[in-house]
Amino acid sequence: MGKQGEAHIVWDWNGTLFHDNDAIIGATNAAFAELGLEPITLERYRAMYCVPVPRFYERLMGRLPSDSEWQIMDEAFHRHYAEHRWACGLTAGVSALLAGWEAAGRSQSLLSMYGHEELVPLVRGFGIEPHFLRVDGRTGPSGGSKAEHMVRHLAALAGVEPARVVVIGDALDDATAARHVGAGAVLYTGGSHSRASLEGAGVPVVDSLEEAVEEAGRLAA
């Protein structure tokens, strides 16, 4: 369990610890192809991405997808992603950063909007699971916000005070979820959003996870 009063990082997974941009873009374009939509580049994806995900599709389609269209696209996305995630790896330096934070006597956990049953064996396969107090993935339907998941995640961490928590992620939704529980946030530019998009969140924006950890230590001091 967390030590009372110590700084705690809640890490995001996709686009943060897990460098899966290629799989995400491929899966997104596979979903678009199901409805005959043109593929998008990583740059356009990072400029337009938002949650809930149907709103992202609305930005690109000019309208919200219908319920049936959303189901088709969501199923295509997850099917394609599951096939291609195995070619992706951890972001450079992750193992050393996790070990260093732990060695400093601080705690950390992982909360992702990737499905829990798929997330846990993936994290375990990289040998980093022991660094985390908890590893939680999404339960329930995809496409929503992380905020309520963050409430449940922190509630399950005995001794971790929200005021000493810093969320490190690559999406505006990570900052929203942090704010929802009274935690700090640091946003990383290597994932789903452009720097210009992230800077609108009003929290520190960094270009490396090393910088993110340094900022987390400062914010939680």
Side-chain angles (χ1 to χ4, degrees):
M1 292 291 117
K3 296 179 181 179
Q4 193 75 20
E6 288 288 349
H8 179 91
I9 291 175
V10 177
W11 291 95
D12 175 54
W13 178 245
N14 303 95
T16 304
L17 294 179
F18 191 44
H19 187 66
D20 60 349
N21 288 347
D22 289 345
I24 291 287
I25 293 300
T28 298
N29 284 330
F32 288 173
E34 292 287 332
L35 298 184
L37 301 174
E38 292 294 319
I40 64 169
T41 63
L42 174 61
E43 290 71 24
R44 181 163 171 76
Y45 178 95
R46 297 177 76 235
M48 303 291 286
Y49 182 74
C50 65
V51 295
V53 177
R55 294 292 182 184
F56 168 55
Y57 290 153
E58 180 184 28
R59 289 183 173 187
L60 296 166
M61 298 170 64
R63 61 175 177 81
L64 275 171
S66 67
D67 290 345
S68 61
E69 287 173 332
W70 163 250
Q71 183 174 356
I72 290 169
M73 297 172 81
D74 191 49
E75 289 177 353
F77 176 92
H78 286 97
R79 183 174 65 252
H80 183 96
Y81 182 84
E83 293 171 358
H84 291 84
R85 68 186 183 192
W86 304 110
C88 302
L90 296 176
T91 301
V94 159
S95 296
L97 286 172
L98 297 178
W101 185 263
E102 184 178 24
R106 294 163 165 176
S107 60
Q108 55 201 326
S109 58
L110 193 160
L111 175 63
S112 173
M113 292 299 283
Y114 191 46
H116 184 77
E117 297 302 320
E118 293 79 21
L119 173 70
V120 171
L122 190 56
V123 173
R124 190 169 293 156
F126 284 109
I128 59 174
E129 186 183 22
H131 293 301
F132 304 115
L133 297 183
R134 287 186 67 86
V135 174
D136 286 332
R138 187 199 75 249
T139 56
S142 62
S145 172
K146 185 179 276 189
E148 292 305 321
H149 293 272
M150 186 68 71
V151 172
R152 291 190 291 271
H153 183 73
L154 292 190
L157 294 171
V160 173
E161 302 171 8
R164 303 302 302 279
V165 169
V166 178
V167 177
I168 298 179
D170 68 315
L172 292 171
D173 192 45
D174 292 302
T176 299
R179 192 175 300 114
H180 186 69
V181 295
V186 180
L187 298 181
Y188 165 59
T189 62
S192 62
H193 283 44
S194 66
R195 171 176 276 276
S197 297
L198 295 177
E199 287 177 340
V203 302
V205 177
V206 299
D207 297 319
S208 73
L209 294 184
E210 290 84 357
E211 293 175 271
V213 170
E214 290 175 5
E215 282 291 333
R218 182 183 65 80
L219 289 173

